[in-house]
Every structure is written in C-alpha cells, then in structure tokens.
Amino acid sequence: MESKASPMDPFEMQDNSKKSNKPKYSKFTQQELPACKPLLTPAIVISAFLLVGILFVPIGLASLSASQEIVELIDRYDTNCGPITDKVGYIQDSKTNKSCTRTLTVPKHMKSPIQIYYQIGDFYQNHRRYVKSRSDKQLLYKDAAHLTKDCDPEGYSADGAPIVPCGLVAWSLFNDTYTISVNKKAIEVNKKDIAWQSDKNKKFGNDVYPRNFQNGNLIGGAKLNASIPLSEQEDLIVWMRTAALPTFRKLYGRIETDIMANDQLTVVIQNNYNTYSFGGSKALVLSTTSWIGGKNKFIGVAYLIVGGLCLFLALVFVVLYMFKPRTLGDPSFLSWNRDTLDYLN
C-alpha cells in the first residue's frame, strides 16, 4: 500500500523558518578573535613613558641643532621694487622697465648647494575653483589637447583654438626672474632637476608641446617655449604642484658654489609678477639644507615637548607608585565595593 504524506503542521513550519533565520555563530560577532590585551601594570606604563621620552628628546635636540646650522636669507622685494603709489598700474604696464637691484650681505658661510626659492604670501592656490582649473590628461597625452572642459576661463585662445596647457593654474605661472652675482662676479643659477622626477615622468608628456599659451583674452604670468616639451619645462612643473597654504615657497634654482660670510650678494630682479592686485607679497629666499631639509624648528620643538611630557608623566607615576601603592586587581577599589565600605564605616 502506498503511504500518503501527512500534511506539514503550520506551527512546525513557522518554527523551522525561525530556526533557519537564526544567525550563525561567528567569532567576529562574538568578539572572540585573537587579540593583544596587555595588562597595564605600573611597571609597563612607566617603562613605556620612559622609552618614548628617552627616544624623543635626543631626536628633538638633533633636529633643533640641524635647523640652527641652516643659513637662510629672506628679502621681501615687492614693497621696494616699484612706485609707492599705483603699483597695480605699474605692474600691468608692459612698457615700463621693472628691473630692480637688491644688495644682501651673507651673515654666515653658506655651503653649496644653496637653494633659491620665491616666496609668495596671501595667494590661495588651494581655492577649489583654482585647483580644478586644469586638465591633467591634456598635460600628459598629445591627443588630448581638446580636453579643456575644466579649464574655463582659460580653455581657448581668442581665435577659438585650445590652449595647451590650459587652466588658471598654468595661466598664473610665476614670471619674476633673478640674476645673482657675488662680490660683483656673476654666478650661474642651476635650474635643472628642480621638479619632482615622478611629476616629470608621470604627469607631463615628453611629446606634449605648448600651444596658444598666453594667447587668451587675459594675459597671465610667464610664457612657455613652444619648442620644449612640457616634461622639460621644470618651472611650470614646480608651479603646477599647488600649495596647501596661502604663504608658500617654490624652488627657483640652485647655486652650486659656496658663499662666504660677509660676501655681498647683488640680485637683479625683473619684477613682473602681479601680486599687488590681490594684496599679496613676494620674497626671495636663499637657504642651505641639512638632513631634515630646510630651516624648521617645529619638528624639533614638537619632539622635545612630547618627550619631555612623557618623562614628566613617568616621574609622576613613579612618585604615586612609591607613596600610594596599590595591589593590582584589588576588588575593594571597585565602585560598588567602595560604596559598601563607606556605608559600613
């Protein structure tokens, strides 16, 4: 005889569905994964603070010492190179001679290589519209000259041809120049290898050449040599790496010879770049370098503060442990036990 299948109890079906929806056991959800759970005994805490302090204090002293050895000359020239009144009209007049001579005295011996920077103040290169006004594909690929969508208002020239490189970042390229002599003897400024090698190789094409640059409705900063590919236009590459802060320095070149103390530096400046329209500032900076880079006291001071604070905390914990020792894991210090003891007393 054939047996008939008995109908499934609806309550049993409901129980089975509940069982199937039950989450599976997981060590992750139950927080049972292997983990490091150090027991912070007084000895471990004091030792950790001592170790950090002993390491950080010498690093801070070494950083401060290296920063003190750096010789740095800063000369702000925008206020003295130009007329007292109507500086905007002066800088915008292309027929005016903008040559300016500055004389500086070297306070200490400057070892080569000596870095030459231009420093600009109150120039917000991090402004969103300014940063976005460029075409990275156009800078890298020869066939991408037409990609000027993000470059407004400097995407096309007056006759409608695409500008290469386009955008406000390239358009505002710094165009002041410096000619330097030491004790009335001209010295060469090396402008090679001032840009990051990764930028030259990966962001600027060696077969991309400037086209229609500074031929738009507004004339901006420096002009580019149309016969040199963008990957070799290092002044442009340095400028296109936009700064995060309103006051910044960018590398102009290097002096490959030593300059002695009390030598007279004569700098002939072509004061072309317009910072007067927006109330900015310009300065020439000559600086030596060390293993921490340029002059920077912040790193050394920060290490000293952190190291000193750790040593101070280690001393405080040692004093507390000596005068008010406490048994590790003593249950009498639990809040509910303390309340009970206070009530009994």
Side-chain angles (χ1 to χ4, degrees):
M1 294 178 65
E2 295 182 359
S3 60
K4 295 183 179 180
S6 60
M8 185 67 72
D9 187 357
F11 294 102
E12 185 177 352
M13 291 177 62
Q14 187 177 0
D15 292 340
N16 290 336
S17 64
K18 289 183 178 179
K19 290 180 181 178
S20 62
N21 292 331
K22 184 178 179 181
K24 294 182 179 180
Y25 173 80
S26 171
K27 288 186 176 182
F28 178 76
T29 58
Q30 298 300 318
Q31 299 183 10
E32 293 180 355
L33 292 175
C36 178
K37 299 177 182 178
L39 186 61
L40 297 179
T41 62
I44 292 177
V45 172
I46 293 170
S47 300
F49 278 121
L50 282 175
L51 179 63
V52 174
I54 291 172
L55 288 176
F56 276 37
V57 169
I59 294 175
L61 292 174
S63 300
L64 278 178
S65 175
S67 179
Q68 291 293 336
E69 293 177 358
I70 295 172
V71 183
E72 187 175 82
L73 283 175
I74 303 176
D75 178 50
R76 179 176 176 178
Y77 59 87
D78 61 303
T79 54
N80 298 316
C81 291
I84 299 176
T85 60
D86 194 20
K87 291 188 176 182
V88 175
Y90 157 80
I91 203 72
Q92 291 179 343
D93 187 357
S94 59
K95 298 180 181 179
T96 303
N97 180 21
K98 300 181 180 65
S99 179
C100 176
T101 302
R102 304 285 294 169
T103 302
L104 308 173
T105 301
V106 180
K108 294 170 63 177
H109 176 214
M110 301 182 74
K111 296 181 180 180
S112 63
I114 302 169
Q115 314 293 327
I116 305 173
Y117 302 93
Y118 54 89
Q119 178 175 298
I120 302 180
D122 293 326
F123 189 127
Y124 290 83
Q125 273 199 318
N126 61 347
H127 191 283
R128 182 180 61 86
R129 291 187 63 186
Y130 181 87
V131 171
K132 291 181 64 177
S133 184
R134 60 188 292 166
S135 176
D136 291 326
K137 290 184 178 179
Q138 188 198 65
L139 297 173
L140 186 58
Y141 301 111
K142 180 180 180 181
D143 299 330
H146 63 285
L147 299 178
T148 61
K149 178 181 178 182
D150 297 327
C151 294
D152 287 339
E154 291 300 318
Y156 294 93
S157 63
D159 57 359
I163 298 174
V164 181
C166 68
L168 290 175
V169 182
W171 171 81
S172 59
L173 175 61
F174 188 77
N175 61 343
D176 283 7
T177 60
Y178 310 115
T179 303
I180 300 176
S181 58
V182 180
N183 298 328
K184 299 183 179 181
K185 182 180 179 181
I187 57 175
E188 182 182 358
V189 176
N190 182 10
K191 294 181 69 66
K192 291 186 177 181
D193 297 325
I194 61 174
W196 290 18
Q197 196 66 33
S198 59
D199 286 353
K200 293 194 290 184
N201 296 337
K202 297 181 180 180
K203 293 186 177 182
F204 294 82
N206 56 12
D207 57 351
V208 181
Y209 293 84
R211 279 190 282 173
N212 305 307
F213 189 66
Q214 300 295 10
N215 289 337
N217 296 322
L218 294 173
I219 303 302
K223 296 185 178 181
L224 298 176
N225 191 334
S227 63
I228 300 177
L230 295 185
S231 61
E232 297 179 16
Q233 308 254 13
E234 297 202 40
D235 285 325
L236 173 69
I237 298 173
V238 170
W239 181 259
M240 294 291 284
R241 180 169 282 277
T242 53
L245 300 175
T247 299
F248 57 86
R249 295 178 182 178
K250 291 185 183 289
L251 188 60
Y252 179 83
R254 296 185 183 89
I255 298 174
E256 304 291 349
T257 57
D258 290 6
I259 300 178
M260 301 301 168
N262 300 319
D263 280 353
Q264 295 291 319
L265 281 179
T266 303
V267 185
V268 179
I269 303 171
Q270 290 297 325
N271 184 25
N272 300 314
Y273 199 71
N274 184 8
T275 58
Y276 305 110
S277 295
F278 56 88
S281 62
K282 294 186 293 185
L284 172 67
V285 180
L286 280 76
S287 176
T288 58
T289 56
S290 67
W291 59 272
I292 63 168
K295 198 174 189 68
N296 187 353
K297 294 182 179 180
F298 174 78
I299 296 176
V301 172
Y303 270 101
L304 284 176
I305 290 175
V306 175
L309 183 62
C310 288
L311 291 176
F312 173 75
L313 290 175
L315 179 62
V316 169
F317 284 130
V318 167
V319 172
L320 288 175
Y321 185 66
M322 290 178 61
F323 290 95
K324 294 188 68 175
R326 168 179 167 178
T327 305
L328 186 64
D330 189 350
S332 63
F333 285 92
L334 296 172
S335 59
W336 52 87
N337 289 338
R338 287 205 306 269
D339 295 339
T340 305
L341 291 174
D342 293 340
Y343 176 76
L344 293 175
N345 291 333

